[in-house]
Amino acid sequence: MSNQKLFNVAVVGATGAVGEQIIRLLAERNFPIQELKLLSSARSAGSKIAFKGQDIVVQEATPDSFEGVDIALFSAGGDVSKALIPEAISRGTVCVDNTSAFRMDPETPLVVPEVNIDKVSDHKGVIANPNCSTIQMVQTLKPLYDRYGISRIIVSTYQAVSGAGASAIQEMLRQSREVLDGREVEPKILPVGSLPKKHQIAFNAIPQIDKFVDNGFTYEEMKMINETKKIMGDDTLEVTATCVRIPVVYGHSESVYVELKSDFDVEEVKQLLADSPGIVLQDNAAEQEYPLATEAAGKLETFVGRVRRDLSNPRALNLWIVSDNLLKGAAWNAVQIAEYIAIEQN
Amino acid sequence: MSNQKLFNVAVVGATGAVGEQIIRLLAERNFPIQELKLLSSARSAGSKIAFKGQDIVVQEATPDSFEGVDIALFSAGGDVSKALIPEAISRGTVCVDNTSAFRMDPETPLVVPEVNIDKVSDHKGVIANPNCSTIQMVQTLKPLYDRYGISRIIVSTYQAVSGAGASAIQEMLRQSREVLDGREVEPKILPVGSLPKKHQIAFNAIPQIDKFVDNGFTYEEMKMINETKKIMGDDTLEVTATCVRIPVVYGHSESVYVELKSDFDVEEVKQLLADSPGIVLQDNAAEQEYPLATEAAGKLETFVGRVRRDLSNPRALNLWIVSDNLLKGAAWNAVQIAEYIAIEQN
């Protein structure tokens, strides 16, 4: 439409793995942009990124960068968000934050559009994007929550290295070649860049994502537990998580056991999932069809399969949920929120 | 001791991945052998395998192969076991079977030595070795079962490709190199050699091990469910499993949620596990110590860590259990049973 309002948009962390996907999606979705500002740390400033046929020079993100910016999408780490989001808000910018900085702040909506897009309107300048592993799970469980009620969720994850950034992808690919060539592997990044001990990720499974909390869980596991309750708006929900990094580049997989509050029919559950926005049901045992990380990579949807009634508890379901952690798990969920903000202000 | 009885021992499936480990362990453990017969299919017969400095020619396994054999260890597939074990028994051979052929037969003991070695004496000629993913889990849970009681087990597995044989290892390594070189990947073996559809295992997670049963579970999952109840000798045990193949060569990892019947102290649980035979506790969050498949590979023990009380259910524990699927998961468990048979007959 010709009278559509256009927005000044900023991407903070433009040179990172998620920032790159956000810029690509803003172009592909024809987001109503007047001016696009690409921001980064001083180190990455000066590089050029193509957007719809024009090269945009990346600038260092400073408080003044947000003058005149309507919507900013942040994915440059929690410290950058904590420092710059208050500055952006004070300049009238609405921020969509992909870090954990504001997620559990009671004033900040934590939004998965298919689950609780209505919360966006309550924002005080910032809307938080949940953790990647949380998004695909709550998106899939929401239709079941609404129809049957959910009392308990037990999840074990199979997470891709891209969730730890571009350098973790490079480390995993380099290590894989070293193992194949019979050379020595020297882990340098995973499981957690800032911690002293490193473990080989090639041909391995590391049961640590992020640092440990005192209770024996990791921060990644606590994010899944706490964010799920906040997004569902239900503190009585019992959630347990074990988060594991495996040698996959893109796409988190999740084995989910969920106890429902009322009776269900498995075929009805499948139909409900198939009919839900952004979800693709891939569930055909005879054809060996189920979600796979390699096939979900690059797609915006969340894929669900292996849907089956638990044999030990007739009120429980087992599911296998897969989605691209950089897309629905990060960039796409953030762009969906930005699109909603744009529509609201039109 | 000089008057120790010596046994005529046969290994059926001597040229396979598990057979190779059985032969190595019989030598390392100084099993009291008079004569070692190495048996295989007609295709592999004629090759030579070194045992304690002498080359043994592999012979085709036929009913007559078992004349004079005291103990035979079978790992040549379910069909071979079904055909030849009755023949061996009729010739007086005691068989230890690593296939699923006799596991759920009510007359056949299903044995993990640390759990139910007493059942060996009940045999009618054959003792079954459980499925690899089952062994490491029941071995770890048995001390908790005895001390606290167990009502429910929910397990998600991270299984190595060696569980599908040497050709699956080769396929995974070949695919990994193809992906690293940017070449086309053409899956030929996994997830199930005898089924039409194949999926890429390199840099992926495949939620199918073995064929599907009508209830939506796979045979591998049903094995974990049924064998766990049989080994524990408790049909009231509620067990759920999701079995997943990941790109690891040796070592199955398992994320296990277990509900206990009585109160427990987490430090007491850790001590109990550390004191249990064949189990190594690796649990130190501050030092980022937990079991890893790459470190468990080649070891006889089962490793357990990430031991923590569940936050949603104070009667539940979460654990991460890792063991070499070809050793404790197959060859070592079988040799342990054979050692017990030898001691009993001495």
Side-chain angles (χ1 to χ4, degrees), chain A residues 164-181:
Chain A
S167 61
I169 299 177
Q170 291 314 315
E171 154 152 282
M172 196 266 282
L173 298 176
R174 191 192 68 237
Q175 285 182 3
S176 300
R177 204 179 277 279
E178 285 166 349
V179 171
L180 291 173
D181 292 347

Side-chain angles (χ1 to χ4, degrees), chain A residues 178-191:
Chain A
E178 285 166 349
V179 171
L180 291 173
D181 292 347
R183 283 183 281 149
E184 196 71 27
V185 169
E186 233 185 281
K188 286 178 184 161
I189 292 167
L190 291 171

Side-chain angles (χ1 to χ4, degrees), chain B residues 189-221:
Chain B
I189 293 167
L190 291 171
V192 182
S194 61
L195 290 180
K197 189 90 83 74
K198 309 297 176 192
H199 297 299
Q200 177 183 322
I201 181 62
F203 308 109
N204 207 5
I206 304 180
Q208 178 181 12
I209 299 181
D210 211 332
K211 297 176 185 176
F212 280 99
V213 187
D214 283 346
N215 58 13
F217 285 77
T218 60
Y219 277 99
E220 183 82 358
E221 290 159 356

